């Protein structure tokens, strides 16, 4: 009952019980005050079939979970309980997912991340993680949604133009205890970047999803749409979700920095980088989870297209942005279209694999590889990231470690849902007569508002 009192202590009239699916969409049920105790103690039920419904709201053909597959339970994790600043009568909690007998359910993406955190702990390490999310503000125009602002990157003028909205966002995040590193006007038209401060892995994802929910809600309330869609327009910069990971020893020392050389990585840091590069193909299927994602991962776009790493270099997949202690690894290919719990679980699994194998990374690529001729890339033996969701899914199918990271339920259902999504895109592309490099109306309809 103590838990129930803590919901009531927030003074809310309603509780939204939320979980996030493979596309990172929050799914919710609202309960009224008289049902708080029941919701907190027993959770709320959802149909397992929800996991086989794709982002276009279609149940996939031959679903593994259908009308007769029963339920799972979303039980509020009270550590995530928060009052929503923009909906003053509402409290919200993210959930632990349980099976019908009340046991932790293997199909829970948040649970899969917890599992990797435990594995890392087995090596005597902890991770601190920070998300850096790009998004675009769009306003209604004659031909659909168009960029809301046209000012220049990082200008005071642009922050001025939107400051009332930015204030609401920053105040709201502070009320929800989501510590912000920086908010800025990014390079693209109408594009912003919100970076959060580091936290333990599960908290970092929870906070990012909460921040994204608030960004979208405040934009909607202002008659705009905030989209985290990877590439809304072929001719404008995409929206990345960069993940910063640092590794720490049990005694609180930085595990990735080389104590003798502030410009180098420790052997363990190098092994972590090697692991990330070795599993980058399969990781793309999880972190770059839609056909649209691959229109962002183009050479020379500041989003990575090659499997390489470097110090400082923004063209690399894994960038080491800082020097000395406090050093971190920035993974740059992901976007907001996949489950950030699974994306981060995949990154940690790859890091753990590299460390266990004591793998050595290849030489860093210090130039802007996005402008290298293909020949030079081949000569240097540098792989390309998958060029399509189908290619990424094939890489995932061939990567036992990543499939094991997903666990038996997600490893079965996730590729099936994504294969359906890839074929729905192909059909829409063929009907449009457009080239694969263009962004189709189907993509904008399917992704722009939901993501
Ligand atoms: N917008 C770029 C991307 O899609 C990243 C730009 C940057 O912050 O370096 O990843
Ligand atoms: Mg950026």
């Amino acid at each position: 009952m103590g838990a129930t009192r803590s919901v009531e202590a927030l003074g809310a009239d309603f509780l939204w019980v939320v979980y996030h699916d493979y596309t990172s969409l929050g799914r919710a049920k609202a309960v009224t005050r008289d049902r708080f105790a029941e919701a907190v103690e027993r959770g709320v039920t959802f149909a397992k079939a929800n996991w086989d419904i794709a982002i276009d709201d279609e149940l996939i053909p031959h679903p593994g979970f259908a009308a007769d597959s029963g339920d799972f339970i979303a039980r509020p994790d009270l550590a995530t309980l928060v009052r929503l600043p923009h909906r003053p009568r509402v409290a919200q909690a993210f959930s632990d997912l349980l099976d019908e007998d009340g046991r932790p359910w293997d199909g829970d993406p948040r649970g899969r991340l917890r599992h990797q955190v435990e594995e890392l702990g087995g090596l005597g390490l902890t991770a601190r993680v920070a998300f850096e999310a790009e998004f675009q503000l769009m306003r209604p125009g004659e031909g659909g949604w168009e960029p809301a602002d046209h000012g220049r990157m990082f200008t005071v003028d642009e922050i001025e133009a939107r400051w009332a909205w930015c204030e609401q966002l920053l105040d709201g995040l502070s009320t929800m205890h989501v510590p912000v590193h920086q908010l800025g006007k990014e390079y693209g038209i109408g594009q912003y970047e919100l970076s959060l401060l580091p936290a333990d892995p599960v908290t970092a994802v929870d906070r990012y999803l909460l921040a994204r929910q608030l960004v979208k809600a405040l934009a909607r309330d202002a008659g705009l749409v905030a989209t985290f869609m990877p590439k809304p327009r072929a001719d404008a910069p995409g929206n990345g979700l960069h993940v910063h990971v640092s590794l720490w020893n049990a005694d609180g020392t930085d595990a990735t920095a080389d104590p003798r050389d502030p410009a180098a990585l420790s052997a363990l840091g190098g092994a972590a980088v090697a692991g990330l590069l070795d599993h980058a193909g399969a990781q793309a299927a999880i972190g770059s989870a839609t056909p649209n994602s691959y229109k962002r991962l183009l050479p020379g776009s500041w989003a990575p297209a090659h499997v390489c790493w470097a110090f400082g270099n923004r063209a690399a997949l894994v960038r080491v942005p800082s020097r000395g202690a406090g050093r971190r690894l920035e993974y740059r290919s992901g976007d907001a279209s996949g489950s950030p719990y699974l994306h981060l679980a995949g990154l940690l699994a790859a890091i753990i694999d590299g460390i266990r194998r004591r793998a050595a990374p290849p030489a860093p690529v210090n130039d802007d590889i996005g402008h290298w001729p293909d020949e030079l890339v081949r000569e240097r033996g540098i792989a390309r990231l998958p060029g399509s969701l189908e290619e990424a899914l094939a890489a995932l199918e061939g990567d036992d470690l990543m499939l094991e990271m997903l666990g038996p339920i997600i490893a079965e259902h996730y590729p099936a849902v994504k294969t359906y999504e890839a074929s729905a895109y192909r059909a829409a592309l063929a009907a449009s007569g457009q080239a694969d490099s263009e962004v189709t109306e189907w993509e904008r309809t399917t992704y722009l508002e939901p993501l």
Side-chain angles (χ1 to χ4, degrees):
M1 292 310 287
T4 309
R5 272 204 301 278
S6 75
V7 182
E8 279 159 356
L10 287 180
D13 296 314
F14 308 103
L15 173 67
W16 294 0
V17 180
V18 175
Y19 75 92
H20 293 86
D21 69 5
Y22 302 144
T23 60
S24 76
L25 297 194
R27 310 274 181 181
K29 284 189 182 174
V31 295
T32 50
R33 183 173 261 272
D34 56 328
R35 303 252 70 89
F36 281 177
E38 183 188 338
V40 166
E41 278 155 33
R42 287 203 238 141
V44 304
T45 52
F46 289 89
K48 277 192 184 147
N50 286 15
W51 295 93
D52 281 357
I53 293 178
I55 188 168
D56 60 2
D57 259 0
E58 295 289 336
L59 184 65
I60 64 168
H62 318 295
F65 292 139
D68 58 351
S69 300
D71 294 334
F72 67 94
I73 295 164
R75 192 173 61 198
D77 174 354
L78 294 177
T80 68
L81 189 65
V82 68
R83 242 337 244 281
L84 297 183
H86 57 302
R87 304 284 179 260
R89 296 178 65 194
V90 178
Q92 174 182 281
F94 294 165
S95 308
D96 292 318
L97 305 187
L98 311 174
D99 65 18
E100 282 165 301
D101 298 321
R103 284 184 304 244
W105 188 50
D106 268 350
D108 179 5
R110 201 162 172 263
R112 298 315 300 169
L113 175 55
R114 280 220 173 94
H115 181 65
Q116 290 305 321
V117 171
E118 281 161 22
E119 293 284 301
L120 194 63
L123 298 176
L125 294 167
T126 52
R128 302 279 297 163
V129 176
F131 284 88
E132 180 188 331
E134 293 171 337
F135 61 92
Q136 269 165 298
L137 286 181
M138 314 291 271
R139 67 176 173 215
E142 273 171 26
W145 294 106
E146 58 184 39
D149 302 308
H150 288 268
R152 300 291 180 256
M153 61 176 269
F154 295 110
T155 51
V156 177
D157 207 40
E158 270 305 284
I159 287 284
E160 283 276 16
R162 284 276 163 215
W163 186 242
W165 188 84
C166 292
E167 251 181 31
Q168 242 186 316
L169 175 62
L170 294 171
D171 280 346
L173 291 171
S174 156
T175 310
M176 294 193 299
H177 310 291
V178 174
V180 172
H181 177 227
Q182 288 167 354
L183 173 67
K185 170 68 190 60
E186 247 290 359
Y187 175 63
I189 40 176
Q191 192 181 38
Y192 292 77
E193 178 180 273
L194 177 67
S195 49
L196 302 179
L197 286 176
D200 70 84
V202 175
T203 304
V205 180
D206 290 344
R207 286 178 180 170
Y208 151 67
L209 287 169
L210 207 51
R212 179 173 159 189
Q213 181 182 338
L214 185 65
V215 167
K216 289 189 75 71
L218 294 180
R220 198 182 299 118
D221 288 354
L224 306 171
V225 160
T227 187
F228 292 68
M229 176 178 176
K231 192 81 168 176
R233 286 165 58 144
D235 61 355
N239 295 308
L241 178 65
H242 302 169
V243 186
H244 297 255
V245 181
S246 59
L247 298 172
W248 300 87
N249 297 308
D251 63 3
T253 53
D254 182 340
T256 47
D258 181 337
R260 287 152 314 198
D261 180 356
L265 287 178
S266 64
L268 184 137
V273 169
L276 288 170
L277 300 185
D278 287 344
H279 295 283
Q283 182 71 40
I286 301 161
S288 310
T290 62
N292 183 256
S293 301
Y294 296 86
K295 303 183 183 186
R296 172 180 158 256
L297 300 174
L298 298 179
S301 69
W302 294 57
H306 299 92
V307 181
C308 63
W309 76 287
F311 293 96
N313 184 359
R314 286 189 163 79
L317 170 63
V318 181
R319 181 171 87 111
V320 184
S322 52
R323 290 167 69 86
R327 162 147 298 185
R328 59 191 194 271
L329 310 177
E330 177 189 3
Y331 197 84
R332 292 174 60 86
S333 70
D335 60 50
S337 68
S339 160
Y341 296 110
L342 295 179
H343 183 36
L344 183 54
L347 297 180
L348 295 184
I351 286 172
I352 291 166
D353 180 51
I355 294 172
R356 284 197 177 128
R357 290 188 289 113
R358 297 175 196 273
V365 171
N366 294 322
D367 310 336
D368 184 355
I369 185 172
H371 291 103
W372 281 10
D374 288 348
E375 226 168 75
L376 180 57
V377 173
R378 268 196 302 274
E379 244 169 59
R380 291 279 303 270
I382 294 168
R384 281 289 292 259
L385 279 168
S388 66
L389 181 58
E390 290 93 332
E391 258 184 60
L393 287 167
L396 176 61
E397 285 304 330
D399 191 324
D400 290 343
L401 183 104
M402 283 292 153
L403 291 172
E404 201 183 306
M405 175 282 292
L406 292 175
I409 296 175
I410 300 178
E412 180 190 335
H413 291 261
Y414 181 75
V417 172
K418 288 291 154 183
T419 301
Y420 158 78
E421 192 175 326
S423 63
Y425 162 69
R426 291 287 165 207
L429 181 68
S432 75
Q434 286 178 281
D436 193 24
S437 54
E438 295 171 80
V439 176
T440 58
E441 218 30 61
W442 181 89
E443 287 161 88
R444 271 191 287 269
T445 306
T446 308
Y447 302 121
L448 196 145
E449 285 188 55
L451 294 179

